[in-house]
Amino acid sequence: MRCSNAVDCQRFLRGSLLVLLLQLVVACAQKPVGQLELMPPPDVYGDGLFNPLPKSNPFLDIPYDGILYATDREPAGPDDEELFYRNERGQVLRLGYAEIQMGEGDLTWEQARQVSLLKARTAEFPVKIGKVTEWGIVGETIPYWVDAGLPEEAPLPPDAVDQFAQAINDQLANSDSKDIYLYTHGYLVTFVNPLLVSAELWHFLGYRGAFIAYAWPSTPHRLAYIKDSDTAVGYARNLRLLLEVLAEKTNAEEIHIIGYSNGTRLVVQALEQLALINQHRTEEEIQETLRIGNVILLGSDIDRAAFGNSLADGLLKVCRHLSVYVSAEDKALGISRFLTNKRRLGELWTGDGNEIHPQARQALENLRGQMSFINVTEAEGATDGNGHHYFRQSPWASSDILMTLYYGLEPEQRGLVRQTDLPVYTFPPDYISRLWGNIQRLNPDWAEGDQAPSE
């Protein structure tokens, strides 16, 4: 194409790069609908170091035999191509659960337990979604201008929240961990993607606590990035209301949140809303009420300055600790930066105009006990492909994330080291041996290969 002027050339280039961004970020959507190939096992579980999975089939004890979900997508109709829920914004937040299957149907649990932890699998190990059951809606999410019955829809059972909370409490009663884990996805995926990713993360957590997949209405269509970015921010109210419900109605000791890519906008916005609503209260009062523990932001596609404003509004008063994973080789965020002309939170500070501002450096030093930045660039496998999916593709990054959730370990306790040039933690060459040594010190009577002990 020959551009008639500089403006036309710039528009054409931005449009071309938006298509490229779509190609860079998409991964799971290309898998068969309703299933996902299980991510590589975290290296901390490799080579027989230890096996986090229960020795008996956990689905025999899980009250709802699957994974919990919350979604504000529109339900799919009989003539829709999508499974279960459409790729469109809904008016309310809906709660339910989906049945999941780990591996092929003819595998015994013991076989699935062992094969899923093999570093080099010789056969596919799919994670599949089966039947989906919706319990109902969160009444508080119905906007005041919408009819309580919802257009063309019969009123849903009013006890959906209580049913959801009871399912969580029953699961927590069966588990050594009394925590809730919540995952929210990036853009360009269908309803089933966050359920599948949540299922594999919960698998590698050993089915501890209760896990919730949060499926906001992203749009797996070409040029959906701008629309999905608006949705991620605008629909944060529903996530905030869900967090309030979980704090009020469940017995969870802590609620941990894992946000990925564009979904980190949703997480940060919801936490900022909670901070503003509770600004008259102390940090101790807020955390005692909401019980939000670790918040983990992965490949975060947020404007750095906008994130700074969220911090100024008291975001860190809401959670016990915030971990931000960053990379110097995240190509998807590089395209996003070009499209927005703003540096992204998930990008590592480097040179060439991307140096950290002295005030930002000092602020990060002052907030070390509340917030950690973790550089995955040197982590095994973290820069493969487009470098954006490291939380699933890097056995070191997944080890670090899961051990943060499993034990609540701080960065140094996980074997990370402080960079000399930045207020950031990084992965040393002997990271896994450091991590494993620290875990052994926590469990001196723990035999190798044993299931992780109760805390």
Side-chain angles (χ1 to χ4, degrees):
M1 172 183 176
R2 177 173 294 178
C3 302
S4 59
N5 54 57
V7 173
D8 288 342
C9 285
Q10 186 177 46
R11 287 174 178 170
F12 173 76
L13 182 58
R14 286 184 182 273
S16 300
L17 283 170
L18 184 55
V19 175
L20 177 60
L21 174 66
L22 190 74
Q23 297 170 343
L24 283 170
V25 176
V26 66
C28 299
Q30 297 175 352
K31 292 292 182 181
V33 174
Q35 75 175 56
L36 176 71
E37 181 64 22
L38 184 69
M39 60 188 268
D43 267 0
V44 69
Y45 299 151
D47 302 321
L49 295 182
F50 74 87
N51 189 334
L53 301 178
K55 293 182 179 180
S56 61
N57 189 338
F59 295 105
L60 299 177
D61 298 319
I62 296 171
Y64 38 87
D65 191 27
I67 194 82
L68 297 168
Y69 72 84
T71 186
D72 36 21
R73 294 171 180 259
E74 286 188 358
D79 299 326
D80 290 323
E81 295 181 358
E82 297 95 336
L83 280 178
F84 313 120
Y85 292 90
R86 301 178 61 203
N87 305 316
E88 297 291 342
R89 298 169 177 173
Q91 293 279 11
V92 297
L93 188 66
R94 301 170 181 272
L95 306 175
Y97 73 96
E99 296 176 0
I100 59 174
Q101 176 186 318
M102 306 301 297
E104 296 295 352
D106 57 350
L107 282 181
T108 67
W109 170 251
E110 181 56 30
Q111 290 172 327
R113 180 177 184 263
Q114 297 299 330
V115 172
S116 65
L117 292 177
L118 292 177
K119 190 173 179 64
R121 302 188 195 107
T122 57
E124 291 189 353
F125 192 100
V127 185
K128 300 180 181 180
I129 295 296
K131 179 182 177 182
V132 168
T133 300
E134 180 183 301
W135 283 321
I137 64 174
V138 179
E140 291 86 348
T141 64
I142 301 175
Y144 71 86
W145 61 84
V146 174
D147 219 358
L150 301 181
E152 300 179 4
E153 186 173 349
L156 291 165
D159 62 347
V161 169
D162 290 336
Q163 195 169 0
F164 193 74
Q166 187 60 54
I168 291 174
N169 289 335
D170 289 345
Q171 170 60 17
L172 295 180
N174 290 337
S175 175
D176 293 333
S177 170
K178 308 304 178 186
D179 292 352
I180 294 173
Y181 308 91
L182 185 149
Y183 168 76
T184 186
H185 56 93
Y187 100 110
L188 198 69
V189 299
T190 63
F191 165 77
V192 299
N193 172 267
L195 278 67
L196 294 166
V197 174
S198 295
E200 62 180 355
L201 291 175
W202 199 27
H203 181 74
F204 286 122
L205 273 174
Y207 298 93
R208 294 162 54 83
F211 212 111
I212 301 170
Y214 194 92
W216 56 278
S218 63
T219 312
H221 294 223
R222 295 173 66 86
L223 306 181
Y225 177 74
I226 295 174
K227 175 185 175 182
D228 283 357
S229 298
D230 287 344
T231 300
V233 173
Y235 272 54
R237 171 180 179 269
N238 288 342
L239 175 57
R240 184 252 299 171
L241 290 170
L242 177 63
L243 293 173
E244 291 176 330
V245 164
L246 295 175
E248 177 185 355
K249 291 185 174 290
T250 74
N251 300 327
E253 293 179 358
E254 286 195 312
I255 302 165
H256 308 290
I257 305 169
I258 309 107
Y260 173 56
S261 192
N262 217 322
T264 62
R265 302 187 191 201
L266 187 83
V267 173
V268 168
Q269 190 74 16
L271 297 180
E272 183 176 5
Q273 289 178 15
L274 288 170
L276 292 173
I277 290 170
N278 293 279
Q279 60 183 320
H280 62 287
R281 308 171 73 182
T282 66
E283 179 177 328
E284 292 73 19
E285 290 172 336
I286 296 172
Q287 294 184 14
E288 182 179 356
T289 300
L290 296 175
R291 305 195 301 282
I292 297 176
N294 283 299
V295 174
I296 298 175
L297 305 182
L298 306 165
S300 184
D301 189 8
I302 301 176
D303 181 324
R304 286 180 187 168
F307 177 72
N309 288 335
S310 296
L311 294 182
D313 276 338
L315 183 149
L316 292 179
K317 294 173 62 178
V318 174
C319 60
R320 177 168 54 80
H321 193 84
L322 177 67
S323 298
V324 181
Y325 284 74
V326 296
S327 173
E329 300 293 337
D330 191 325
K331 298 180 180 63
L333 291 186
I335 300 297
S336 178
R337 172 185 10 105
F338 180 86
L339 293 172
T340 61
N341 199 31
K342 298 295 181 182
R343 294 285 178 180
R344 316 318 288 167
L345 181 63
E347 292 184 288
L348 179 69
W349 296 275
T350 54
D352 301 325
N354 186 26
E355 296 84 3
I356 185 170
H357 191 279
Q359 290 181 346
R361 180 188 293 271
Q362 186 59 51
L364 293 184
E365 291 290 354
N366 295 339
L367 295 171
R368 280 183 63 177
Q370 298 172 280
M371 178 171 61
S372 303
F373 277 75
I374 299 157
N375 175 15
V376 302
T377 310
E378 300 301 322
E380 176 188 328
T383 60
D384 293 348
N386 65 3
H388 191 58
H389 308 286
Y390 51 79
F391 81 102
R392 294 186 64 247
Q393 70 188 20
S394 168
W396 284 18
S398 60
S399 293
D400 198 63
I401 294 162
L402 291 173
M403 290 302 97
T404 299
L405 299 172
Y406 200 107
Y407 284 111
L409 298 178
E410 297 179 1
E412 293 94 340
Q413 295 173 318
R414 303 195 304 268
L416 300 176
V417 297
R418 291 273 291 181
Q419 289 189 209
T420 57
D421 57 333
L422 290 171
V424 172
Y425 291 95
T426 191
F427 290 78
D430 60 344
Y431 165 72
I432 290 297
S433 62
R434 285 170 173 255
L435 175 58
W436 177 236
N438 289 339
I439 292 174
Q440 281 185 311
R441 280 189 282 276
L442 288 172
N443 303 281
D445 299 324
W446 187 5
E448 288 191 9
D450 282 352
Q451 180 187 343
S454 301
E455 293 182 279

